[in-house]
Amino acid sequence: MIQQLDSLLISPSILVTLAAVIGLLVGSFLNVVIYRLPAMMQKNWRKECAEYLQIETTEANVEEPFNLVLPLSHCPACNTPIKPYQNIPVLSYLFLRGRCASCKQPISLRYPIIEVFTALTSALVAWHFGYTPQTVFALVLTWSLIALSFIDIDHQLLPDSITLPLIWVGLLLSLYGIFTDAHASIIGAAAGYLALWSIFHLFKLATGKEGMGYGDFKLLALFGAWLGWQYLALIILLSSLVGAAIGLSMIVFVKHDHRTPIPFGPYLAAAGWIALLWGKQLNALYLNTMGL
């Protein structure tokens, strides 16, 4: 009986299911991060500007606490607090039929989509890496990439408060060979940043325009630190192909103005995540195709 229980607990299906459930819960929290973190940054920028310009803040202008915890979740339309049983990932959305329980205003479909997407990607990470330390860190990276991608879509912004700590985490993990060795990690972080930094300045010299933001440099440096320099070319290639395909599709089918910038961060994040799981196989396929 004990042996059967032990074998059940270490079953891959148990790990994948657990990762999916945790992913649902984390996805709910990511919705908060995606909405509030940019607003927190804007509030902090305004505060710093006021201090720099020596503008006094009166008691009347002191704002209520606004962070990832406070104020508690509430309906943006009627400000009615959301009860705990109304905040269960996906299930509450279905139970409420996608509307606020108080004012009946529609709830954005993006909330359950992010929750389900986080659950699916978490399950895939657990299935791929199994019962290894890589699973824990790959999950943290996956969740962070989801938050970064949607923040970039909404605000064309990749917060340093997420990217910079992850660069350091990747470098520290390399000391223990979790995903790559320290030599490849250090070179990868530097080369990842400098690669897009160089492209940025060459494009600016040629066109007089800025083709991407500094957050993209840091995001590629992040992948270099986690995976090593060997995967940078693959990530750049994948992100460029996907970005070009989606960009052209938006211009042709959605009539997207080609002068309106499209954030590059989500494409980098998707390419880096693919490299995290299948980079070795894709690199081998590319080298075989090229006869190298």
Side-chain angles (χ1 to χ4, degrees):
M1 180 66 179
I2 295 178
Q3 290 181 344
Q4 292 178 344
L5 182 60
D6 288 341
S7 62
L8 178 63
L9 291 176
I10 64 174
S11 169
S13 60
I14 295 295
L15 177 63
V16 170
T17 302
L18 180 61
V21 172
I22 294 175
L24 278 175
L25 299 174
V26 171
S28 180
F29 175 69
L30 291 183
N31 279 318
V32 176
V33 174
I34 292 165
Y35 173 74
R36 294 194 183 189
L37 183 57
M40 291 164 54
M41 295 172 66
Q42 291 171 3
K43 288 176 180 290
N44 188 54
W45 293 335
R46 285 197 294 266
K47 180 181 178 182
E48 290 177 351
C49 289
E51 291 175 352
Y52 179 77
L53 297 173
Q54 298 181 343
I55 299 175
E56 294 185 2
T57 303
T58 62
E59 289 298 322
N61 291 328
V62 174
E63 298 178 349
E64 295 293 328
F66 187 85
N67 49 52
L68 298 181
V69 178
L70 296 173
L72 298 178
S73 298
H74 59 276
C75 172
C78 65
N79 289 323
T80 301
I82 298 176
K83 297 178 175 59
Y85 67 85
Q86 296 172 338
N87 213 16
I88 302 172
V90 181
L91 294 179
S92 291
Y93 184 88
L94 296 175
F95 177 76
L96 294 171
R97 297 182 180 179
R99 295 184 177 276
C100 171
S102 178
C103 67
K104 305 304 180 183
Q105 284 293 315
I107 301 171
S108 174
L109 184 61
R110 196 171 83 166
Y111 294 130
I113 288 176
I114 290 176
E115 292 165 354
V116 171
F117 182 70
T118 306
L120 292 175
T121 51
S122 299
L124 191 54
V125 165
W127 171 79
H128 182 82
F129 289 110
Y131 285 93
T132 65
Q134 291 175 312
T135 296
V136 176
F137 295 108
L139 285 173
V140 172
L141 180 58
T142 298
W143 299 334
S144 301
L145 293 176
I146 292 172
L148 285 170
S149 296
F150 280 95
I151 290 174
D152 201 22
I153 290 171
D154 290 342
H155 304 279
Q156 295 186 14
L157 177 71
L158 295 169
D160 285 348
S161 56
I162 298 178
T163 54
L164 295 184
L166 285 175
I167 291 175
W168 290 110
V169 170
L171 292 171
L172 291 173
L173 289 178
S174 71
L175 296 176
Y176 303 95
I178 301 296
F179 293 102
T180 189
D181 59 87
H183 183 268
S185 176
I186 294 170
I187 295 177
Y193 187 92
L194 292 174
L196 291 187
W197 179 88
S198 301
I199 294 173
F200 170 86
H201 284 284
L202 289 173
F203 183 82
K204 189 174 182 180
L205 283 173
T207 66
K209 300 177 181 179
E210 297 183 354
M212 63 183 72
Y214 278 68
D216 298 320
F217 313 165
K218 298 167 191 174
L219 183 55
L220 188 59
L222 182 160
F223 288 124
W226 279 70
L227 305 178
W229 62 268
Q230 298 91 334
Y231 294 92
L232 293 177
L234 173 66
I235 293 171
I236 293 174
L237 178 62
L238 286 175
S239 58
S240 299
L241 289 175
V242 174
I246 293 179
L248 288 174
S249 299
M250 291 177 64
I251 292 173
V252 173
F253 299 107
V254 189
K255 306 302 180 183
H256 181 84
D257 189 347
H258 68 278
R259 293 169 296 183
T260 303
I262 299 174
F264 189 52
Y267 307 133
L268 267 180
W273 188 80
I274 291 172
L276 173 70
L277 269 64
W278 301 290
K280 185 178 295 184
Q281 295 89 329
L282 290 173
N283 262 346
L285 177 63
Y286 173 75
L287 293 175
N288 290 333
T289 303
M290 299 299 294
L292 300 175

